Every structure is written in C-alpha cells, then in structure tokens.
Amino acid sequence: MHVSPMQVSLLINGEPLGARDGATFERRNPLDGSVASVAPAASVQDALAAVDAAAAAFTAWSATDPEARRALLIQASRALQDKAPVFAEAMTAETGASAGWAEFNVRLASDMLLEAAAMTTQINGEVIASDVPGNTAKALRRPAGVVLGIAPWNAAVVLAVRAIATPLACGNTVVFKGSGMCPATHGLIIRTLQEVGFPPGVVNFITNAPADAATVVEAMVAHRAVRRVSFTGSTQVGRRIAAACAHHLKPVVLGLSGKTPFVVLDDADLDAATRAAVFGAYTNAGQSCTATERIIVDQAVADDFVALLAERTAALSVNDFHQEPAVLRAVADMSIVERCNALIDDALAQGGRLVTGGKADGVLMPATLIDHVTPSMRLYREEAFGPVKGIVRVSGVDEAVACANDNEYGLSAAVFGRDVGRAIAVAGRIEAGICHVNGPTVHHEARMPFGGVKDSGIGRFDGKAGIDAFTDLRWITVQTTARDFPF
C-alpha cells in the first residue's frame, strides 16, 4: 500500500514555513527505501530568522510567571501522550524503530515535560553573608537567553524534549534544530508545543539538508542572542560544536558517544545479569549512547554466563515493521550495517569467537555476540552503535575496573554482584557519569542528572542539574545602611 510522505514545516515566530528558497530534502524509510518524509532545507538566513524570533520573544517569556510556564509544560506532556500512535508511525517510517521503543520515548519525554514543569518553582537563589555592614547579598538564577537545541534520531522524542523542556521551564526561548534522519518525528514535537499554546517565537524549529548542517549550526552559534547550546550526538560532531562555542564564548552542554561497560563480578546473579545485559545491549538494536557495548565478565563465571547469555540473545526475534512480535527492528541505515560488519570481520580475524548472530546484508541485523575480545580488536574500543557486542574475560576486580576504564568514553556503566557493598565500591572506581549496580546500562529517569565524563560529554541534563545548565547565576547586592568609602 502506498503511503504518502510526511510533510514537514519550519516554525519561525509561530508560523509554519518552508525554506525561503523552496529547497527540500527527503528522508527515506530504511527498510524499503520509500520516501518517509519531506522537509525544508533551511538556509543560514532561515536559521538566523528563527534565532531573531526567539530573541524577540525572550523578554516577555522570561518575565512570564512560573505558574504559567508550568501549566503549558503540563499540557504539553498530556498532548504528547495523546499522540503516541502518531509518533510511533513516524519513528517507524523514518528510523525503523519498534512500537515498544517509540512508546518508551513518548512516555519518558512526557515525564521530562512534567519534571520540567515542576522545576519552574525550583529556580531558587540564596542569601550570602557579606563583609560589608548593611549589605544584603544574593545569588540568583536568571534565564540565560536563547538556547540552541540539537538532538539526534536514535531516541528521537526523548532527546529532542530534553533539549527543549528544561530551557523553557527556566524562562529561556528555544531554537530546535531537528535531525535530518527524523525531521517529521521532531516536527511533531514542535507542533504539539505550538498547539498547547506556547507563544510565538518561544519555540522555533529548523530543519536542514544534512550537507548543510555544519554551516547552519555555526551561523546560529555565532548569533549574539544565542546564550546556550545543547547538543546530543557523536563525539566527533560534539568536538566541532564545542570549538565553535569556545570561539564565541558560549556555554555548551554536550551528551556524546559511549562505549558502555557491563561488568559481571564473580559473585553475580547470572540470571539477573544476563537478562539485564540482553536488555541493555539490544534495546533499539543497540542504537543508544547508553547501550551496553562491552561485556566484561570474570573468568570464574564466564563460561556459565556466556552460555546463558547466548541462549537469551539467540532467542531475540528480528522482523520488519509489518510483522509482530519482534524485539529487533531495522537499524537506521546501511552505514550502521557496514560498520558493524567491519567490526565483526576484524574481531573474528584476530581470534574472537562468534557466539551467536553474525554479519548482515541489510538493515535487519541479528543480535550478535563475540567472545574473547581483546584490546587489539576494533570492537574493544569503537562504539558499534548497533546489535554487535563484545565479551571480554578478566581475572578479578582490578582487571575488571581497568578494562572498564580502558577507553576514552565515560557515559553509562553497570556492575553486577551479590555483595552489594563490593559492587558499589567497583562502581565508584569506574570512570562514568552514570553507573547502575545490579541494573541495566539503559536506564533513564526524567529527574536524574544525565551526562558523561571524558569524551562522553560536558555538563548535565535534566532535573536540578538542568537548571544550573540553562540559567545564569547573578550576584545582586542591596546596601541598606550608609556606607563609608576611603575617598
């Protein structure tokens, strides 16, 4: 059955628009190659017009009382949930996502909007004791200005809402640049915010042809009204954005790549550990920055663990979006398939053992495990960002920690062990912004500080950490008595 492509519009100052020169680009369904969506290929001029609109709206929005901002965010949360089936259709068509992954995205994003609504009354300051008699000193948090939000396709709704919700709660206005791989999905979020009544210019939306991304982003970063940049994506692109922000002295919050370790200690509950490993490794076909990438298991339990993990991994079904049930759906494009196939070839050529799965010739990739991975293999260090996972065998806690830290990344991690005190101690030694003891690496909550260390990012999103990221701290004094001066 022929399905018409989804049509996407820019949103600038409350008006749905095309690119001023009429240019568009297409996003194709990864499974059948049909056109999933058609979106405006915004020019630099379009992008700067969106920033101008956000700048013009900032004065009124930043002065809006917290109750009004909270009410709109609550309405947006409910409206997002109401549109869950529409989001599922868009995510499936544009990125091959499963219905379950889309449902998770909408549910967590809705929670993020509710948490942001709660934060509107938590933007507090403090009174600081002054050395000057009669002087009252305060540290107050104030909206920063225009926030440029940039999010990827893999958790399309969650990561887009994360770039928008807390900045709005803090009184900032937003220009959101949608991903070229899911412009319709991202456009649905912006349309939802518009429909619940956010004033014109408070939220603006830009899409651009993938080849123009660097030029468009650099122009917006350079605009004097942009006071914060929020970016989630690859470390490679994040470095370029951070460099541009540094040049213009703009604070930036970066959520970047990971090579997430999953550590299995010698006293781990293997049933619980394998269940969590399968979930963390293969949710959304492993296309997540917190997906389990490297499974580090103590030699004492490795054989039993790998046997049980292989059994559970081999049982995962993979089908296209026309067939149910299926855990694994299509990966987003053939570049992921090519990268994962190359990682498999390299590991097997160097002595790795294929436990289950294997190479693929299309976007429907099987869940794959390779045992006896060593540091010389690309799979040991490089982010697969797909359903291919390596198992590294170690002897003892110190080797496990050294292996977990033997990487430039540090986003999420997990440690499994029945001795919870020891497992917590191991978690404390792992260089990661997030670590879950006896839980999967994929675990998000709207109020928790999300972010990494090392090459996995700068700053924290969500909850009270998000308030710090998207406000300026101002020092204000009031002299209440006469003051003496030396001249």
Side-chain angles (χ1 to χ4, degrees):
M1 181 179 67
H2 175 73
V3 178
S4 299
M6 294 173 283
Q7 301 297 316
V8 183
S9 298
L10 309 178
L11 185 71
I12 300 175
N13 200 33
E15 294 294 327
L17 302 170
R20 62 183 61 198
D21 61 2
T24 62
F25 68 97
E26 297 175 344
R27 170 60 186 167
R28 292 187 174 269
N29 186 303
L31 269 167
D32 60 21
S34 62
V35 178
S37 55
V38 179
S43 64
V44 166
Q45 290 73 27
D46 292 315
L48 295 181
V51 178
D52 288 338
F58 174 71
T59 300
W61 178 249
S62 62
T64 302
D65 65 83
E67 180 62 34
R69 297 201 300 269
R70 179 167 58 186
L72 285 170
L73 288 162
I74 291 171
Q75 290 177 55
S77 172
R78 294 169 179 162
L80 208 68
Q81 285 280 19
D82 291 342
K83 292 185 178 181
V86 183
F87 277 105
E89 291 178 10
M91 290 178 67
T92 296
E94 291 189 314
T95 64
S98 69
W101 182 245
E103 179 185 352
F104 163 79
N105 262 254
V106 172
R107 184 173 65 252
L108 179 56
S110 178
D111 287 346
M112 286 177 165
L113 287 163
L114 286 179
E115 189 65 24
M119 289 295 103
T120 58
T121 57
Q122 303 300 312
I123 306 169
N124 300 319
E126 62 176 330
V127 176
I128 305 172
S130 172
D131 290 338
V132 177
N135 187 281
T136 300
K138 300 178 181 180
L140 301 177
R141 292 216 162 262
R142 291 289 183 259
V146 177
V147 175
L148 170 59
I150 307 169
W153 56 270
N154 57 306
V157 187
V158 166
L159 298 179
V161 168
R162 187 171 78 181
I164 297 169
T166 303
L168 290 178
C170 292
N172 302 293
T173 53
V174 173
V175 177
F176 179 67
K177 195 197 87 66
S179 169
M181 293 180 68
C182 61
T185 305
H186 280 164
L188 278 169
I189 298 167
I190 304 304
R191 189 188 311 167
T192 301
L193 295 176
Q194 183 187 27
E195 288 172 355
V196 301
F198 279 88
V202 171
V203 182
N204 303 272
F205 181 54
I206 292 293
T207 58
N208 55 265
D212 298 334
T215 302
V216 168
V217 169
E218 287 170 6
M220 288 192 286
V221 170
H223 194 298
R224 66 180 299 172
V226 170
R227 300 312 313 159
R228 291 289 189 281
V229 177
S230 168
F231 172 79
T232 303
S234 72
T235 295
Q236 179 184 11
V237 176
R239 288 184 192 279
R240 294 201 294 267
I241 289 176
C245 289
H247 179 75
H248 296 287
L249 299 179
K250 308 288 178 75
V252 59
V253 183
L254 300 174
L256 306 178
S257 306
K259 186 65 179 174
T260 303
F262 184 98
V263 177
V264 183
L265 301 177
D266 57 8
D267 67 338
D269 179 332
L270 299 189
D271 179 71
T274 51
R275 290 180 186 278
V278 169
F279 175 80
Y282 300 113
T283 293
N284 196 35
Q287 300 167 116
S288 168
C289 56
T290 59
T292 297
E293 283 269 336
R294 208 164 21 146
I295 300 167
I296 302 165
V297 57
D298 195 287
Q299 288 278 19
V301 295
D303 287 344
D304 290 341
F305 174 83
V306 172
L308 184 55
L309 181 65
E311 178 184 340
R312 288 186 164 146
T313 301
L316 298 178
S317 56
V318 55
N319 276 316
D320 69 28
F321 60 83
H322 297 297
Q323 303 177 48
E324 291 288 354
V327 174
L328 296 177
R329 295 300 184 92
V331 295
D333 62 31
M334 283 301 296
S335 68
I336 296 171
V337 180
E338 292 161 3
R339 178 176 63 249
C340 287
N341 283 347
L343 293 174
I344 292 170
D345 283 340
D346 176 75
L348 297 184
Q350 297 191 63
R353 183 173 71 84
L354 184 65
V355 177
T356 188
K359 292 170 63 176
D361 56 10
V363 293
L364 292 171
M365 300 189 68
T368 299
L369 284 172
I370 298 177
D371 197 3
H372 300 287
V373 168
T374 64
S376 65
M377 301 173 188
R378 291 174 56 194
L379 186 58
Y380 182 90
R381 298 188 183 281
E382 296 180 23
E383 185 181 35
F385 212 74
V388 177
K389 310 299 172 180
I391 300 169
V392 184
R393 298 182 180 222
V394 297
S395 296
V397 166
D398 290 342
E399 278 193 23
V401 171
C403 181
N405 292 337
D406 186 17
N407 202 268
E408 64 264 36
Y409 302 115
L411 182 54
S412 184
V415 179
F416 267 77
R418 283 191 171 91
D419 184 337
V420 175
R422 184 175 72 147
I424 291 172
V426 171
R429 295 171 61 188
I430 293 176
E431 297 166 351
I434 304 162
C435 192
H436 306 293
V437 173
N438 292 332
T441 60
V442 177
H443 177 189
H444 296 178
E445 293 185 47
R447 66 184 61 83
M448 302 302 175
F450 186 97
V453 299
K454 301 193 291 189
D455 287 6
S456 287
I458 299 171
R460 296 294 181 267
F461 301 91
D462 300 334
K464 291 187 177 180
I467 293 176
D468 293 344
F470 297 109
T471 57
D472 287 327
L473 187 62
R474 309 283 183 86
W475 175 32
I476 297 175
T477 69
V478 179
Q479 188 65 38
T480 60
T481 61
R483 180 174 174 180
D484 294 328
F485 299 96
F487 58 87

